[in-house]
């Protein structure tokens, strides 16, 4: 008989960790959150106040050692994603890690290597990186219809991640460890490329450019607040990406697949809900103010499906190999952004 509950812990109770903790603790029927860890005292206080029955630790390693766990959800800062994932993998635990696995390709690859080695001992272990758009109902419908061949083969992929402008200085400080705008903002769009065009699709070349329009401090960390990229694939396919951190109205994440016999658009008229205001100033609709407001339901679906695949021993919804390749592409785009050079692929390597 299949197990009814999966014993899970949460690593990190920052902004994203709180959301994962709430989703798994309150909204995922087959998950049992037994512990959480964070080195931040204020975050531990939040956990004690909001996660009833959950043991809160200051130290991740202590949590892994003391608790009887089956799975770990890693929502810590990006700098420790890989380290924490590998520790859990070596214990034979299932792992859901927030994106990206790392901002360094070699480090991301080390997670995949650890997982593949662990599978020799723990063949039913599940490890995946959380890319929320794959769990969004609209993106899933678009993918299913294209996969069925309704519009012929996709030829042009274009996508954007457009974040609400930040006036607090958060993005400038965050850029010190984020890996840059392509590994932070555009990593979702890169993952969508691999999902829609195939994770084994061969890239011939890529190039990116960017500017600092409102966050001049990003320049010190080789980052930008606006960037564009083009990617060329073997087989006659191309992609265009846009990412920005200065949208005035709110979150505007859109994607289009142009196929041989038609096109599919996702969220080309962004909206918070179906309310439209008509007054003396004109007609308008509100937009989501941040990514979680737009993709909240996708994160809930992600939690449920990760739990389900662990309990039922089915394939994870996203392959870890694809998530490592997303880091490779994001890192190459960031390199092109800084150098101004076009980068050519040879197999799985890059050359200028």
């Amino acid at each position: 008989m299949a197990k009814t509950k999966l014993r899970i812990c949460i690593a990190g109770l920052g902004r994203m960790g709180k959301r994962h903790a709430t989703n798994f603790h309150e909204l995922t029927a087959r998950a049992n959150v037994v512990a959480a860890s964070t080195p931040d005292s204020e975050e531990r206080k939040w956990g004690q106040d909001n996660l009833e029955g959950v043991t809160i630790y200051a130290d991740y390693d202590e949590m892994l050692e003391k608790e009887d766990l089956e799975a770990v959800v890693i929502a810590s800062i990006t700098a420790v994603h890989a380290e924490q994932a590998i520790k859990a993998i070596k214990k034979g635990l299932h792992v859901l890690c927030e994106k990206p696995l790392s901002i360094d390709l070699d480090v991301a690859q080390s997670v995949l290597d650890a997982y593949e080695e662990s599978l020799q001992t723990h063949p039913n272990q599940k490890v995946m990186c959380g890319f929320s758009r794959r769990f969004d109902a609209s993106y899933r419908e678009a993918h299913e219809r294209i996969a069925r061949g309704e519009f012929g083969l996709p030829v042009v992929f274009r996508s954007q991640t457009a974040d609400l402008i930040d006036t607090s200085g958060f993005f400038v400080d965050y850029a010190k460890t984020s890996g840059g705008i392509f590994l932070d903002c555009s990593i979702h769009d890169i993952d969508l490329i691999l999902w829609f065009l195939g994770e084994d699709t061969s890239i011939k070349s890529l190039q990116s450019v960017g500017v600092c329009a409102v966050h001049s401090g990003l320049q010190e960390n080789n980052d930008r607040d606006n960037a564009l990229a083009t990617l060329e694939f073997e087989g006659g396919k191309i992609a265009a990406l846009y990412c920005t951190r200065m949208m005035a109205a709110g979150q505007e994440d859109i994607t289009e697949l142009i196929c041989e016999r038609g096109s599919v658009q996702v969220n080309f008229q962004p909206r918070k809900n179906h309310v439209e205001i008509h007054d003396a100033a004109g007609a308008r609709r509100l937009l989501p103010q941040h990514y979680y407001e737009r993709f909240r339901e996708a994160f809930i679906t992600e939690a449920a499906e990760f739990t389900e695949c662990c309990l039922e021993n089915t394939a994870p919804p996203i392959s870890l190999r694809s998530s490592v390749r997303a880091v490779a592409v994001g890192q190459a785009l960031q390199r092109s952004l800084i150098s101004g050079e076009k980068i050519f692929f040879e197999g799985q390597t890059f050359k200028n």
Side-chain angles (χ1 to χ4, degrees):
M1 180 180 294
K3 289 176 57 63
T4 58
K5 291 273 190 177
L6 185 72
R7 295 190 306 278
I8 292 176
C9 72
I10 311 294
L13 290 175
R15 181 167 53 183
M16 197 63 248
K18 289 181 175 71
R19 290 163 178 166
H20 278 301
T22 300
N23 289 343
F24 278 95
H25 188 51
E26 299 178 6
L27 302 174
T28 307
R30 301 190 70 186
N32 178 21
V33 178
V34 298
S37 71
T38 172
D40 186 282
S41 59
E42 291 186 7
E43 292 175 5
R44 290 198 298 275
K45 177 67 165 55
W46 179 90
Q48 291 160 357
D49 292 343
N50 294 275
L51 301 175
E52 184 179 355
V54 175
T55 304
I56 309 298
Y57 291 84
D59 184 75
Y60 175 77
D61 293 339
E62 182 184 7
M63 177 176 68
L64 292 192
E65 183 65 31
K66 289 187 175 180
E67 293 291 336
D68 180 19
L69 300 169
E70 295 171 294
V72 179
V73 177
I74 297 172
S76 309
I77 60 171
T78 302
V80 298
H81 280 181
E83 175 189 346
Q84 292 186 338
I86 290 172
K87 287 178 178 178
I89 288 168
K90 288 182 176 180
K91 283 185 168 289
L93 303 176
H94 306 297
V95 177
L96 169 61
C97 182
E98 256 304 312
K99 62 82 188 170
L101 288 172
S102 173
I103 61 173
D104 183 275
L105 177 57
D106 290 338
V107 176
Q109 181 64 44
S110 72
V111 179
L112 178 59
D113 292 342
Y115 179 39
E116 291 181 338
E117 180 179 349
S118 180
L119 285 173
Q120 305 305 310
T121 307
H122 307 284
N124 297 331
Q125 188 177 34
K126 316 298 177 187
V127 180
M128 63 175 260
C129 191
F131 283 101
S132 54
R133 293 183 199 180
R134 293 207 193 199
F135 300 90
D136 177 72
S138 297
Y139 276 102
R140 281 192 162 180
E141 180 179 343
H143 186 270
E144 288 167 3
R145 299 188 72 164
I146 289 173
R148 287 199 298 264
E150 291 187 27
F151 317 104
L153 293 174
V155 177
V156 179
F157 174 98
R158 62 189 182 112
S159 192
Q160 75 174 41
T161 294
D163 291 341
L164 178 70
I165 189 170
D166 170 63
T167 58
S168 69
F170 168 79
F171 270 126
V172 176
D173 188 58
Y174 180 60
K176 297 173 184 177
T177 59
S178 72
I181 194 166
F182 284 109
L183 279 165
D184 179 32
C185 289
S186 280
I187 196 72
H188 286 290
D189 306 284
I190 294 167
D191 176 67
L192 289 175
I193 290 175
L194 299 176
W195 191 33
F196 279 95
L197 301 186
E199 66 179 77
D200 295 323
T201 299
S202 296
I203 302 174
K204 292 174 64 176
S205 67
L206 56 78
Q207 189 167 20
S208 61
V209 295
V211 296
C212 285
V214 296
H215 300 295
S216 58
L218 291 172
Q219 196 84 29
E220 297 175 11
N221 296 296
N222 283 325
D223 204 4
R224 309 290 187 268
D225 54 22
N226 285 266
L228 293 164
T230 55
L231 301 91
E232 180 186 15
F233 304 90
E234 300 286 353
K237 298 177 183 179
I238 55 175
L241 303 180
Y242 169 55
C243 44
T244 180
R245 291 167 168 155
M246 53 171 258
M247 278 298 183
Q251 193 80 15
E252 296 188 45
D253 302 332
I254 66 175
T255 301
E256 181 177 32
L257 272 296
I258 300 173
C259 305
E260 294 169 316
R261 299 192 303 274
S263 65
V264 181
Q265 299 177 345
V266 179
N267 206 43
F268 258 59
Q269 294 185 344
R271 59 176 66 236
K272 178 179 180 179
N273 51 38
H274 294 288
V275 175
E276 289 193 358
I277 299 166
H278 296 254
D279 58 17
R284 61 192 182 279
R285 61 182 183 274
L286 298 177
L287 271 61
Q289 296 300 286
H290 50 75
Y291 72 94
Y292 193 71
E293 192 173 3
R294 164 66 180 88
F295 292 107
R296 178 179 179 273
E297 295 302 319
F299 279 98
I300 294 171
T301 301
E302 176 187 74
E305 293 191 7
F306 171 72
T307 301
E308 198 75 15
C309 83
C310 295
L311 289 171
E312 300 297 333
N313 191 26
T314 56
I318 305 172
S319 81
L320 197 62
R321 185 172 297 278
S322 175
S323 299
V324 172
R325 192 158 190 232
V327 174
V329 176
Q331 188 172 283
L333 286 170
Q334 200 67 25
R335 196 172 123 207
S336 175
L337 177 69
I338 295 167
S339 69
E341 298 174 340
K342 190 172 186 176
I343 293 178
F344 296 89
F345 280 55
E346 279 192 21
Q348 295 300 311
T349 62
F350 311 113
K351 66 173 184 176
N352 284 343

